[in-house]
Amino acid sequence: MDHMDPALNVFFTPKDLKRGKKMPIYFSKNNSSTSPRLLAREEADSIPSSISNLPYLLQLFSFPQDSTQAKAVEYTLTQRDLQPIKGEAKFCATSLESMLDFVAALFGQNTRFKVLTTIQLKNSTTLLQNYTFSEAPKEIWAPKMIACHTMPYPYAVFYCHSQESENRLYQGLLAGENGEKVEAAAVCHFDTSQWDPDHVAFSVLGTQPGSSPVCHFFPSDNLVWVPLPAQ
Protein backbone atom coordinates (compact mmCIF):
# COMPACT_ATOMS: atom_id res chain seq x y z
CA MET A 1 0.00 0.00 0.00
CA ASP A 2 2.97 2.35 0.51
CA HIS A 3 3.56 2.16 -3.25
CA MET A 4 -0.11 2.36 -4.28
CA ASP A 5 -0.88 4.03 -7.58
CA PRO A 6 -2.04 7.57 -6.66
CA ALA A 7 -4.92 7.23 -9.14
CA LEU A 8 -6.49 4.59 -6.87
CA ASN A 9 -7.34 7.27 -4.32
CA VAL A 10 -10.97 7.33 -5.44
CA PHE A 11 -12.42 4.59 -3.24
CA PHE A 12 -14.12 5.10 0.12
CA THR A 13 -16.99 3.74 2.26
CA PRO A 14 -20.46 5.14 3.08
CA LYS A 15 -19.34 6.29 6.53
CA ASP A 16 -17.13 8.88 4.78
CA LEU A 17 -20.15 10.66 3.30
CA LYS A 18 -20.44 13.45 5.85
CA ARG A 19 -19.72 17.16 6.11
CA GLY A 20 -16.17 17.89 7.21
CA LYS A 21 -14.76 14.49 6.18
CA LYS A 22 -11.25 14.91 4.78
CA MET A 23 -9.62 12.33 2.50
CA PRO A 24 -6.97 12.17 -0.24
CA ILE A 25 -8.67 12.01 -3.65
CA TYR A 26 -7.25 11.76 -7.16
CA PHE A 27 -9.10 13.71 -9.85
CA SER A 28 -7.61 13.37 -13.33
CA LYS A 29 -7.24 16.49 -15.44
CA ASN A 30 -8.73 16.28 -18.91
CA ASN A 31 -7.82 18.43 -21.86
CA SER A 32 -10.65 18.39 -24.38
CA SER A 33 -8.28 19.46 -27.15
CA THR A 34 -6.14 16.33 -26.74
CA SER A 35 -8.79 13.82 -25.57
CA PRO A 36 -9.91 11.14 -28.06
CA ARG A 37 -12.79 12.45 -30.12
CA LEU A 38 -16.27 10.95 -30.17
CA LEU A 39 -17.09 9.55 -33.59
CA ALA A 40 -20.44 9.74 -35.32
CA ARG A 41 -22.33 6.44 -35.35
CA GLU A 42 -21.79 5.82 -39.06
CA GLU A 43 -18.03 6.23 -38.78
CA ALA A 44 -17.76 4.23 -35.54
CA ASP A 45 -19.86 1.37 -36.91
CA SER A 46 -17.60 1.09 -39.94
CA ILE A 47 -14.62 0.13 -37.74
CA PRO A 48 -14.57 -3.46 -36.38
CA SER A 49 -14.25 -3.61 -32.60
CA SER A 50 -13.58 -7.21 -31.60
CA ILE A 51 -10.41 -8.74 -30.19
CA SER A 52 -10.31 -10.99 -33.26
CA ASN A 53 -9.70 -7.86 -35.34
CA LEU A 54 -6.71 -6.72 -33.25
CA PRO A 55 -4.04 -7.19 -35.97
CA TYR A 56 -6.14 -5.22 -38.46
CA LEU A 57 -6.84 -2.45 -35.93
CA LEU A 58 -3.18 -2.05 -34.97
CA GLN A 59 -2.36 -1.66 -38.65
CA LEU A 60 -5.26 0.79 -39.10
CA PHE A 61 -4.08 2.96 -36.19
CA SER A 62 -0.37 2.52 -37.09
CA PHE A 63 0.49 1.12 -33.63
CA PRO A 64 3.53 -1.19 -33.36
CA GLN A 65 2.53 -4.59 -31.98
CA ASP A 66 4.42 -4.27 -28.68
CA SER A 67 3.73 -0.58 -28.10
CA THR A 68 1.89 0.91 -25.12
CA GLN A 69 -0.90 2.00 -27.46
CA ALA A 70 -1.27 -1.56 -28.79
CA LYS A 71 -1.57 -2.93 -25.25
CA ALA A 72 -4.23 -0.31 -24.46
CA VAL A 73 -6.26 -1.26 -27.54
CA GLU A 74 -5.98 -4.95 -26.65
CA TYR A 75 -7.09 -4.27 -23.05
CA THR A 76 -10.16 -2.30 -24.16
CA LEU A 77 -11.21 -4.95 -26.69
CA THR A 78 -10.73 -7.69 -24.07
CA GLN A 79 -12.93 -5.82 -21.59
CA ARG A 80 -15.54 -5.35 -24.30
CA ASP A 81 -15.76 -9.09 -24.90
CA LEU A 82 -16.01 -10.11 -21.22
CA GLN A 83 -19.31 -11.64 -20.15
CA PRO A 84 -21.36 -9.49 -17.74
CA ILE A 85 -21.50 -10.57 -14.10
CA LYS A 86 -24.80 -11.74 -12.60
CA GLY A 87 -27.43 -9.00 -12.79
CA GLU A 88 -25.29 -6.71 -14.94
CA ALA A 89 -26.17 -5.17 -18.29
CA LYS A 90 -23.14 -3.85 -20.17
CA PHE A 91 -22.41 -2.20 -23.48
CA CYS A 92 -19.39 -0.72 -25.24
CA ALA A 93 -20.50 2.64 -26.67
CA THR A 94 -18.46 3.92 -29.59
CA SER A 95 -20.74 6.86 -30.40
CA LEU A 96 -23.15 9.16 -28.55
CA GLU A 97 -26.04 7.70 -30.54
CA SER A 98 -25.26 4.14 -29.47
CA MET A 99 -24.87 5.27 -25.85
CA LEU A 100 -28.27 6.97 -25.89
CA ASP A 101 -29.83 3.86 -27.46
CA PHE A 102 -28.46 1.75 -24.59
CA VAL A 103 -29.80 4.21 -21.99
CA ALA A 104 -33.24 4.26 -23.62
CA ALA A 105 -33.32 0.45 -23.85
CA LEU A 106 -32.66 0.05 -20.11
CA PHE A 107 -34.80 2.94 -18.82
CA GLY A 108 -37.63 2.64 -21.35
CA GLN A 109 -38.12 4.50 -24.61
CA ASN A 110 -40.44 7.13 -23.11
CA THR A 111 -38.44 7.74 -19.92
CA ARG A 112 -36.85 11.13 -19.46
CA PHE A 113 -33.35 11.04 -18.00
CA LYS A 114 -30.42 13.23 -17.03
CA VAL A 115 -26.67 12.81 -16.92
CA LEU A 116 -24.34 13.55 -14.01
CA THR A 117 -20.58 13.87 -13.92
CA THR A 118 -17.83 15.33 -11.75
CA ILE A 119 -17.23 19.02 -12.44
CA GLN A 120 -14.00 20.78 -11.46
CA LEU A 121 -15.14 24.31 -10.63
CA LYS A 122 -11.63 25.75 -10.62
CA ASN A 123 -8.79 24.73 -12.91
CA SER A 124 -5.84 23.11 -11.16
CA THR A 125 -2.82 21.04 -12.09
CA THR A 126 -2.91 19.13 -8.79
CA LEU A 127 -3.99 15.52 -9.36
CA LEU A 128 -3.91 14.21 -5.78
CA GLN A 129 -4.61 16.26 -2.69
CA ASN A 130 -6.71 16.22 0.46
CA TYR A 131 -10.33 17.24 -0.07
CA THR A 132 -12.99 18.00 2.53
CA PHE A 133 -16.74 17.75 2.08
CA SER A 134 -18.00 21.35 2.42
CA GLU A 135 -21.49 20.04 3.08
CA ALA A 136 -23.18 16.71 3.58
CA PRO A 137 -23.37 14.96 0.17
CA LYS A 138 -26.91 14.62 -1.12
CA GLU A 139 -28.28 11.33 -2.40
CA ILE A 140 -29.64 11.48 -5.96
CA TRP A 141 -32.87 9.61 -6.62
CA ALA A 142 -31.81 6.76 -8.90
CA PRO A 143 -33.88 3.55 -8.95
CA LYS A 144 -31.66 2.65 -11.90
CA MET A 145 -28.39 4.11 -13.05
CA ILE A 146 -25.98 3.58 -15.92
CA ALA A 147 -22.32 4.44 -15.47
CA CYS A 148 -20.23 5.06 -18.58
CA HIS A 149 -16.46 4.95 -18.10
CA THR A 150 -13.92 6.10 -20.68
CA MET A 151 -11.60 3.42 -22.01
CA PRO A 152 -8.11 3.81 -23.52
CA TYR A 153 -8.59 3.84 -27.29
CA PRO A 154 -7.63 6.00 -30.31
CA TYR A 155 -11.17 7.46 -30.35
CA ALA A 156 -13.71 7.89 -27.56
CA VAL A 157 -15.05 4.56 -26.27
CA PHE A 158 -17.21 4.20 -23.16
CA TYR A 159 -17.76 1.07 -21.09
CA CYS A 160 -21.37 1.46 -19.95
CA HIS A 161 -22.98 -0.83 -17.41
CA SER A 162 -25.89 -1.11 -15.01
CA GLN A 163 -26.13 -3.48 -12.06
CA GLU A 164 -29.36 -4.88 -10.62
CA SER A 165 -28.33 -4.55 -6.99
CA GLU A 166 -28.44 -1.86 -4.35
CA ASN A 167 -26.49 1.16 -5.55
CA ARG A 168 -26.78 4.72 -4.27
CA LEU A 169 -25.71 7.80 -6.17
CA TYR A 170 -24.40 10.93 -4.44
CA GLN A 171 -23.32 14.43 -5.34
CA GLY A 172 -21.26 16.61 -3.06
CA LEU A 173 -19.11 19.73 -2.97
CA LEU A 174 -15.45 19.14 -2.12
CA ALA A 175 -12.87 21.76 -1.17
CA GLY A 176 -9.21 21.00 -1.91
CA GLU A 177 -6.27 22.11 0.19
CA ASN A 178 -5.09 24.36 -2.64
CA GLY A 179 -8.46 26.12 -2.88
CA GLU A 180 -9.82 24.00 -5.71
CA LYS A 181 -13.53 23.16 -5.58
CA VAL A 182 -15.04 20.05 -7.14
CA GLU A 183 -18.69 19.15 -7.52
CA ALA A 184 -18.18 15.40 -7.33
CA ALA A 185 -20.42 12.54 -8.39
CA ALA A 186 -19.96 9.27 -6.52
CA VAL A 187 -21.65 5.90 -6.22
CA CYS A 188 -21.81 3.35 -3.42
CA HIS A 189 -22.21 -0.32 -4.34
CA PHE A 190 -23.81 -2.20 -1.45
CA ASP A 191 -23.55 -5.68 -2.98
CA THR A 192 -20.05 -6.61 -4.15
CA SER A 193 -20.49 -10.37 -3.77
CA GLN A 194 -20.23 -10.93 -7.55
CA TRP A 195 -17.13 -8.78 -8.03
CA ASP A 196 -13.74 -10.14 -9.01
CA PRO A 197 -11.78 -10.82 -5.77
CA ASP A 198 -8.79 -9.12 -7.43
CA HIS A 199 -10.67 -5.84 -7.93
CA VAL A 200 -8.38 -3.01 -6.81
CA ALA A 201 -11.05 -1.55 -4.54
CA PHE A 202 -10.68 -4.47 -2.12
CA SER A 203 -6.93 -3.90 -1.85
CA VAL A 204 -7.39 -0.17 -1.28
CA LEU A 205 -10.11 -0.57 1.36
CA GLY A 206 -8.81 -3.79 2.91
CA THR A 207 -12.07 -5.64 2.25
CA GLN A 208 -13.25 -8.57 0.16
CA PRO A 209 -16.26 -9.36 -2.07
CA GLY A 210 -19.54 -9.11 -0.19
CA SER A 211 -17.99 -7.99 3.08
CA SER A 212 -18.83 -4.28 2.93
CA PRO A 213 -19.98 -1.57 0.50
CA VAL A 214 -17.56 0.02 -1.95
CA CYS A 215 -17.92 3.65 -2.97
CA HIS A 216 -15.95 5.60 -5.54
CA PHE A 217 -15.82 9.02 -7.14
CA PHE A 218 -16.31 9.42 -10.88
CA PRO A 219 -13.63 11.15 -12.97
CA SER A 220 -14.79 14.22 -14.88
CA ASP A 221 -14.77 12.33 -18.19
CA ASN A 222 -17.19 9.65 -16.91
CA LEU A 223 -20.97 9.90 -17.25
CA VAL A 224 -23.77 8.66 -15.00
CA TRP A 225 -27.25 8.40 -16.49
CA VAL A 226 -30.32 8.37 -14.20
CA PRO A 227 -34.05 8.42 -15.00
CA LEU A 228 -36.15 11.39 -13.97
CA PRO A 229 -39.29 10.87 -11.84
CA ALA A 230 -42.46 10.53 -13.87
CA GLN A 231 -44.58 13.67 -13.84
Side-chain angles (χ1 to χ4, degrees), residues 159-219:
Y159 170 74
C160 298
H161 65 130
S162 179
Q163 181 70 30
E164 290 184 1
S165 60
E166 185 182 1
N167 301 297
R168 297 179 190 173
L169 185 62
Y170 297 90
Q171 198 166 36
L173 184 63
L174 291 162
E177 287 183 325
N178 71 347
E180 182 179 6
K181 294 185 183 299
V182 177
E183 189 176 276
V187 65
C188 289
H189 304 281
F190 284 80
D191 180 8
T192 61
S193 58
Q194 299 297 316
W195 287 26
D196 185 340
D198 293 328
H199 194 291
V200 294
F202 300 129
S203 298
V204 175
L205 299 175
T207 58
Q208 54 189 341
S211 65
S212 64
V214 169
C215 307
H216 66 84
F217 293 103
F218 288 100

Side-chain angles (χ1 to χ4, degrees), residues 85-100:
I85 63 175
K86 183 180 179 181
E88 180 188 37
K90 55 174 287 196
F91 177 70
C92 187
T94 56
S95 65
L96 178 60
E97 297 94 330
S98 65
M99 189 186 304
L100 291 174

Side-chain angles (χ1 to χ4, degrees), residues 114-160:
K114 65 178 180 179
V115 62
L116 299 177
T117 189
T118 290
I119 301 173
Q120 294 167 336
L121 302 176
K122 181 180 177 182
N123 291 330
S124 170
T125 57
T126 304
L127 296 175
L128 175 65
Q129 64 175 306
N130 284 323
Y131 286 88
T132 302
F133 277 117
S134 303
E135 54 193 35
K138 62 179 181 179
E139 184 174 353
I140 306 299
W141 183 83
K144 285 186 177 181
M145 69 180 75
I146 300 171
C148 292
H149 311 283
T150 53
M151 300 293 288
Y153 214 66
Y155 54 89
V157 170
F158 289 83
Y159 170 74
C160 298

